[in-house]
Amino acid sequence: MDCRLFLQEKDDFCRLIYGLRLGEIVVLQAVMEKSIEKNGLSLPFLIVPRGFTHALIQKVFREKLGIDYSFSPELDILGKAKHDRWPDQSYIIRHGGHREANKGDAELKLLSAEKIWERGIETMTSLEVSQFSLENFLTCGAPIDVNSISLCPGSRYSDGRVPHVFFGIDEVEVYRHDPSFSHDTLRSRSVTV
């Protein structure tokens, strides 16, 4: 894989779709190459551009796809104080993809956010799940979750509750969940940082 070319193409995508640039491609390239050495090419990359927000995701969902995206502005205001990762700088995560299953991580089924935290499992933030979903809509025309809801233990509201992302007909909603709650349709998405 030509990491530099991949990142240049991603930078062009971010500029055209989001109006953002990735920034230090050389640094991101080194991170990608190290991750490929360690984990191979089996896990997809999600590159979160510096300055990315839920408000920007909302704008792109509405303008490019005609889909309503609702969220609490608190998620952007809290920034890195309540998210495991926040794009003060562009960063890369790797995830299982799960586009085929449309069910999040099956092994995290019936695990509440509290259980995921207790086990030290790294999961996608609400921003990352929303970006993954948006980019899947843009490239494949479909949501990432059809039969499940993405729980986001990598993010928290100021009251301690956890966001979950729900994909309905012509809408994407980010709601609050009690961190002790679990359900068969509520799934988290694990990441490698």
Side-chain angles (χ1 to χ4, degrees):
M1 171 183 225
D2 184 339
C3 294
R4 185 164 187 78
L5 178 61
F6 176 83
L7 288 166
Q8 287 171 339
E9 289 172 355
K10 183 65 176 181
D11 188 53
D12 289 342
F13 175 87
C14 289
R15 183 178 45 79
L16 290 170
I17 302 298
Y18 307 132
L20 299 174
R21 301 300 298 260
L22 292 180
E24 286 294 320
I25 288 182
V26 174
V27 174
L28 294 171
Q29 180 179 347
V31 171
M32 275 187 82
E33 288 170 351
K34 183 176 179 184
S35 180
I36 290 169
E37 273 181 39
K38 182 178 177 184
N39 301 305
L41 288 170
S42 62
L43 298 174
F45 290 96
L46 181 71
I47 302 166
V48 182
R50 178 184 55 211
F52 204 57
T53 62
H54 292 88
L56 182 55
I57 290 171
Q58 180 183 55
K59 178 181 175 190
V60 175
F61 259 119
R62 285 183 179 160
E63 291 179 2
K64 304 270 185 208
L65 300 167
I67 295 173
D68 186 42
Y69 175 89
S70 58
F71 73 102
S72 168
E74 176 184 359
L75 288 170
D76 284 343
I77 293 166
L78 293 171
K80 64 182 172 187
K82 292 291 182 174
H83 299 275
D84 290 351
R85 291 163 300 282
W86 189 253
D88 292 333
Q89 296 295 322
S90 297
Y91 65 88
I92 297 173
I93 61 168
R94 296 188 78 180
H95 58 94
H98 313 295
R99 287 183 178 159
E100 311 78 37
N102 289 317
K103 294 182 181 176
D105 286 358
E107 64 271 13
L108 300 181
K109 178 180 175 180
L110 294 175
L111 287 183
S112 67
E114 287 177 347
K115 294 288 182 195
I116 287 168
W117 297 331
E118 285 172 14
R119 295 180 185 188
I121 301 168
E122 294 244 20
T123 60
M124 281 186 161
T125 66
S126 57
L127 187 65
E128 294 160 356
V129 167
S130 297
Q131 179 186 357
F132 178 44
S133 177
L134 174 59
E135 292 181 6
N136 198 65
F137 263 110
L138 290 169
T139 58
C140 302
I144 56 172
D145 290 319
V146 174
N147 302 316
S148 63
I149 299 168
S150 287
L151 180 65
C152 307
S155 298
R156 285 156 297 291
Y157 288 96
S158 58
D159 64 5
R161 289 189 286 172
V162 179
H164 73 261
V165 183
F166 171 76
F167 305 89
I169 298 170
D170 294 331
E171 67 180 341
V172 179
E173 299 172 342
V174 183
Y175 284 126
R176 298 172 191 241
H177 243 77
D178 184 283
S180 64
F181 182 75
S182 65
H183 189 272
D184 183 45
T185 60
L186 196 60
R187 311 274 177 90
S188 298
R189 295 175 177 277
S190 61
V191 300
T192 301
V193 182

